[in-house]
Amino acid sequence: MTDSPHGSSGLGPEFIRLAQVVAQLRERCPWTRALTHESLLEYLLEESYEVIEAVETGHTRAEDARELSGELGDLLFQVLLHARLQEEAGNFAIYDVVTGLTDKMIRRNPHVFRPDGSLQEATTGDT
């Protein structure tokens, strides 16, 4: 598996900082504080379409991949906002979303992962 120059190492602190920024925006920004799940839906859809447009217009090449990166960031912001609203309601937090998705990917890909999350010795397509 090949990582970008930044890869996923160090992502923990950066992701935590991003979640903190979203929480601070909810506390201190009147516009962000007023958002609800319902009012966010139009932005969620808009950001999803912008990711699709970036891919369809070729922003996956090295010279202009930054466009797709930015659009994916905007989409991630929507996910973090929805999770923050649920955390404020006492239902779940972004931690639960991340760990739930990790568990689901491990569970749904037994050809890659053992039930404990460790890698299978050989997977389909390994040489």
Side-chain angles (χ1 to χ4, degrees), residues 16-76:
I16 290 167
R17 178 66 181 130
L18 176 58
Q20 290 169 339
V21 166
V22 171
Q24 292 164 340
L25 286 170
R26 285 282 300 159
E27 291 172 13
R28 296 174 171 243
C29 173
W31 184 85
T32 307
R33 185 174 39 249
L35 293 170
T36 65
H37 287 294
E38 294 75 19
S39 68
L40 279 168
L41 290 180
E42 72 177 281
Y43 302 110
L44 180 62
L45 189 58
E46 178 183 325
E47 298 303 346
S48 297
Y49 280 128
E50 289 177 5
V51 169
I52 292 167
E53 182 180 350
V55 171
E56 289 181 342
T57 57
H59 292 288
T60 57
R61 298 180 305 265
E63 62 270 12
D64 57 1
R66 178 167 274 150
E67 176 73 20
L68 178 57
S69 176
E71 297 303 344
L72 289 170
D74 293 343
L75 189 57
L76 179 58

